[in-house]
């Protein structure tokens, strides 16, 4: 990485684009190829051939589990799904307070309370095993918190987690109160696996910045959730479906897209800051959607084709393809998830990737502390009399 004499500041691109800030063994994105990986494995191949618990084990322990390791890891993490009594008692108030903002906003408070209740201590003071134990507990409880907050906001009682169901199936069970059909549970599981990690995105970087201060694990995750909540990061799956709703019918596709692209508006679900080719996650999720079939899927495929053609025509020289959010929204809609739970579901997966990055960052004692260029009025100016 570049160095400067006497630590003098250096200019970097806006948004730190392309700037390497650390080394990682967690995973990476190769945008020009349309490829990303967890550890040494293709993330899409993992989503197609493995369960969520296998990938979770890989992210935390650096290796895929054998049969005995899988069984032990599944039992251990399932036992951690249950909420402490003081956290469960506080959830109705959190749900009421966050009713207008949604479950992701409530999760920030609930997860912070969970960490405090569990006695999470600063990462700086903990052994690697203790850090990992805290991370396992936090990841396991996030789906329970999210589904409880959602149900409470709907006037329903939370559903207790089941230890006999895999991560994704249990998530859908706690959300609906009914054991999901295997095909829908597997579709959601593949989506969850495909979104566990994705390079140094804004929320992952946020988590690592906080971890570099030595703060506790819950503090790192709460910061990451805040970053994910932004519509330019994790808040787009439901907005992509809103776009399909706004277009309405096939005969309106071209007119609607030309109007909004011409006005310089962003078309949600299209474009990515890293990929310059098709997002591999979108390709997989499109296949899942097409396996369900139906009018929504057919319409989404038509909009995708026309949007890419019109973006190429109206914004020549820019590679704008669908990203993960476009067909993610379609798949979640087909699996019965309400739209206000799309981004929270993203968080239920990404919490594992955040935690893997936090654990890695905690091994480095160097705080992340960049600089900014001051461009305000030249100082010093005398302070005027009161």
């Amino acid at each position: 990485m570049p160095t400067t004499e006497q630590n003098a500041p250096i200019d970097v691109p806006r948004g730190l684009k392309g700037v390497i800030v650390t080394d990682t063994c967690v995973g990476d994105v190769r945008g020009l190829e349309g490829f990303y990986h967890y550890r040494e494995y293709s993330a899409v191949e993992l989503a197609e051939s493995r369960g969520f618990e296998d990938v979770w084990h890989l992210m935390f322990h650096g290796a895929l589990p054998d049969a005995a390791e899988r069984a032990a890891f599944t039992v251990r993490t399932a036992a951690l799904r249950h909420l402490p009594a003081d956290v469960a008692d506080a959830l109705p108030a959190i749900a009421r307070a966050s009713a207008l903002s949604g479950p992701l906003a409530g999760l920030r408070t609930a997860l912070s309370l969970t960490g405090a209740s569990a006695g999470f201590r600063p990462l700086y003071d903990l052994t690697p095993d203790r850090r990992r134990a805290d991370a396992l507990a936090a990841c396991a409880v996030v789906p329970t918190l999210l589904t409880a907050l959602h149900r409470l906001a709907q006037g329903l009682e939370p559903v207790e987690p089941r230890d006999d169901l895999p991560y994704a199936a249990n998530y859908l069970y706690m959300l609906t109160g009914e054991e999901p059909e295997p095909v829908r549970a597997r579709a959601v599981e593949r989506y969850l696996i495909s979104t566990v990690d994705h390079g140094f995105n804004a929320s992952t970087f946020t988590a690592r910045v906080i971890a570099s201060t030595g703060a506790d694990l819950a503090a790192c995750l709460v910061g990451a959730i805040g970053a994910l909540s932004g519509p330019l990061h994790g808040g787009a799956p439901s907005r992509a479906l809103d776009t399909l709703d706004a277009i309405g019918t096939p005969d309106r596709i071209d007119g609607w897209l030309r109007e909004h692209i011409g006005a310089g508006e962003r078309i949600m679900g299209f474009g990515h800051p890293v990929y310059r080719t098709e997002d591999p996650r979108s390709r997989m999720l499109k296949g899942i959607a097409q396996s369900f079939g139906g009018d929504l899927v057919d319409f989404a495929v038509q909009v995708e084709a026309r949007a890419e053609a019109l973006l190429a025509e109206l914004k020549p020289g820019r590679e704008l393809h669908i990203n993960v959010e476009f067909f993610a929204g379609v798949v979640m809609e087909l699996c019965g998830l309400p739209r206000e739970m799309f981004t929270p579901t993203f968080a239920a997966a990404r919490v594992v990737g955040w935690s893997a990055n936090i654990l890695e960052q905690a091994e480095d004692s160097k705080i992340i502390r960049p600089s900014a260029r001051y461009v305000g009025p030249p100082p010093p100016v005398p302070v005027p009399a009161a």
Side-chain angles (χ1 to χ4, degrees):
M1 300 196 308
T3 59
T4 60
E5 293 184 5
Q6 299 179 341
N7 295 320
I10 57 175
D11 284 330
V12 298
R14 282 184 70 214
L16 304 181
K17 183 175 181 180
V19 176
I20 297 173
V21 297
T22 194
D23 296 327
T24 183
C25 293
V26 174
D28 194 21
V29 180
R30 302 209 295 254
L32 295 178
E33 301 173 40
F35 173 78
Y36 74 116
H37 57 101
Y38 306 155
R39 307 291 183 185
E40 65 268 41
Y41 301 104
S42 160
V44 171
E45 188 176 341
L46 287 168
E48 291 172 342
S49 64
R50 292 284 188 149
F52 190 87
E53 283 79 3
D54 280 10
V55 177
W56 188 356
H57 187 282
L58 169 69
M59 300 300 279
F60 273 43
H61 296 283
L64 289 167
D66 59 26
E69 290 169 335
R70 177 186 301 113
F73 187 79
T74 299
V75 169
R76 182 181 181 188
T77 53
L80 295 170
R81 294 170 177 167
H82 302 271
L83 299 178
D86 51 358
V87 175
D89 290 344
L91 285 186
I94 296 173
R96 286 195 300 272
S98 60
L100 297 178
S101 301
L104 201 62
L107 178 64
R108 297 200 296 265
T109 301
L111 188 56
S112 182
L113 176 62
T114 301
S117 173
F120 284 7
R121 293 165 49 216
L123 296 166
Y124 186 82
D125 297 329
L126 302 180
T127 65
D129 285 345
R130 183 66 253 173
R131 294 168 188 158
R132 189 176 294 111
D134 286 354
L136 282 173
C139 292
V141 83
V142 161
T144 311
L145 292 171
L146 284 171
T147 54
L149 288 167
H150 172 72
R151 289 182 65 85
L152 286 165
Q154 303 301 311
L156 303 170
E157 286 296 311
V159 175
E160 280 294 308
R162 279 175 49 180
D163 295 355
D164 62 315
L165 291 176
Y167 189 89
N170 178 65
Y171 178 68
L172 290 173
Y173 169 73
M174 290 191 296
L175 187 64
T176 66
E178 299 179 0
E179 187 169 341
E181 297 176 15
V183 65
R184 284 177 166 76
R186 179 56 183 155
V188 170
E189 181 174 53
R190 290 174 66 188
Y191 166 71
L192 292 173
I193 292 171
S194 73
T195 53
V196 160
D197 188 60
H198 202 247
F200 254 49
N201 55 80
S203 56
T204 297
F205 185 49
T206 300
R208 291 190 71 132
V209 169
I210 299 172
S212 78
T213 72
D216 70 77
L217 190 123
C220 302
L221 293 176
V222 169
I225 293 165
L228 184 75
S229 67
L232 296 185
H233 187 9
S238 59
R239 292 173 183 242
L241 275 184
D242 292 343
T243 295
L244 296 181
D245 289 344
I247 295 172
T249 56
D251 60 292
R252 284 173 38 84
I253 293 175
D254 278 35
W256 192 95
L257 289 171
R258 284 187 181 278
E259 176 186 346
H260 288 77
I261 294 172
E265 297 178 19
R266 182 177 179 189
I267 308 300
M268 286 296 183
F270 288 82
H272 194 277
V274 176
Y275 290 117
R276 292 299 172 266
T277 182
E278 185 181 15
D279 186 331
R281 301 169 297 178
S282 67
R283 187 183 313 122
M284 183 195 75
L285 290 165
K286 180 179 179 180
I288 295 173
Q290 289 178 312
S291 71
F292 284 102
D295 293 341
L296 173 62
V297 178
D298 293 342
F299 186 50
V301 170
Q302 292 179 64
V303 171
E304 174 208 2
R306 291 305 302 150
E308 291 205 351
L310 290 171
L311 285 166
E313 173 191 330
L314 300 174
K315 294 184 178 292
R318 297 181 62 185
E319 291 287 342
L320 294 169
H321 303 277
I322 57 166
N323 56 40
V324 64
E325 285 89 1
F326 189 79
F327 278 106
V330 174
V331 169
M332 284 189 276
E333 182 102 331
L334 294 171
C335 290
L337 278 79
R339 293 189 188 185
E340 63 268 23
M341 288 299 290
F342 285 6
T343 302
T345 302
F346 192 166
R350 187 57 62 84
V351 66
V352 170
W354 291 331
S355 294
N357 275 277
I358 291 165
L359 294 174
E360 185 177 69
Q361 186 65 46
E363 295 295 314
D364 184 353
S365 61
K366 183 69 171 177
I367 190 170
I368 298 174
R369 205 294 190 188
S371 299
R373 179 190 295 109
Y374 176 73
V375 294
V381 173
V383 179

